[in-house]
Amino acid sequence: MSVGKIFKFHNDLDTDQIIASQYLLLPNVDEMKVHAFESLDPDFPNKVRPGDYVVGGENFGCGSSREQAPSVLKALGVQAVVAKSFARIFYRNAINIGLPVIVCKELPDVVQTGDEMDLSLSDGVAVTGGVAYTCTKLPEYMQNILSQGGLIASLNKED
């Protein structure tokens, strides 16, 4: 991973706040992504850059099981979502599409939108403001799934 800017969100952020249900009718993720976080920060899709991070509190991605929620973040170039905890279905959907989701209990309380962070998936360490925070260290098999673009892409490569 590399250094990116943080976009911080609150506890219990639900999938409808990531991508509202009315946009699920759009034909593809590229058309949906311009509406990401529209109710919270309408300018988010214009501000986020490839390599940036989304940081949340507890229960990130709760609500419906829509795969489009992690998909629009990945399509915008978000390199990982870091939160205190994740709703199970969001976590699974993110891994399935190849978006790293990392549990880091302390970091969300000390960062703000605009801070920079460097994240090492293999070491399970996030560094921001000169301080290193211990995060979930993803098992090697999960890192392989992510590096291959997600579960389906990984399974297709096993032929």
Side-chain angles (χ1 to χ4, degrees):
M1 305 244 101
S2 60
V3 175
K5 189 163 75 170
I6 291 172
F7 289 87
K8 183 179 174 182
F9 294 93
H10 54 79
N11 290 337
D12 301 311
L13 185 123
D14 68 54
T15 53
D16 203 49
Q17 292 172 308
I18 299 171
I19 183 69
S21 59
Q22 70 259 32
Y23 300 119
L24 302 180
L25 300 173
L26 294 173
N28 58 54
V29 172
D30 278 336
E31 291 187 39
M32 289 179 214
K33 71 182 181 184
V34 298
H35 301 285
F37 293 115
E38 192 169 83
S39 66
L40 301 173
D41 181 359
D43 205 33
F44 175 81
N46 297 320
K47 295 187 289 189
V48 69
R49 297 285 171 254
D52 286 344
Y53 297 97
V54 168
V55 173
E58 300 280 355
N59 202 25
F60 189 96
C62 59
S64 75
S65 60
R66 64 183 66 141
E67 189 176 276
Q68 294 90 340
S71 295
V72 295
L73 298 179
K74 184 177 180 186
L76 286 167
V78 170
Q79 69 174 308
V81 178
V82 177
K84 288 185 175 188
S85 66
F86 290 90
R88 183 180 303 182
I89 192 69
F90 181 90
Y91 188 90
R92 290 185 60 106
N93 282 337
I95 297 297
N96 286 348
I97 62 127
L99 176 67
V101 280
I102 306 299
V103 173
C104 197
K105 295 289 187 185
E106 297 162 350
L107 180 129
D109 290 334
V110 298
V111 298
Q112 298 300 322
T113 293
D115 291 351
E116 290 193 338
M117 179 173 72
D118 191 10
L119 176 66
S120 171
L121 294 179
S122 57
D123 296 331
V125 174
V127 178
T128 182
V131 179
Y133 295 89
T134 302
C135 305
T136 302
K137 183 177 176 181
L138 294 179
E140 188 175 337
Y141 77 90
M142 197 175 283
Q143 289 181 49
N144 290 338
I145 289 171
L146 290 169
S147 70
Q148 293 173 9
L151 183 61
I152 301 303
S154 175
L155 292 173
N156 287 338
K157 289 182 181 176
E158 290 181 5
D159 294 25

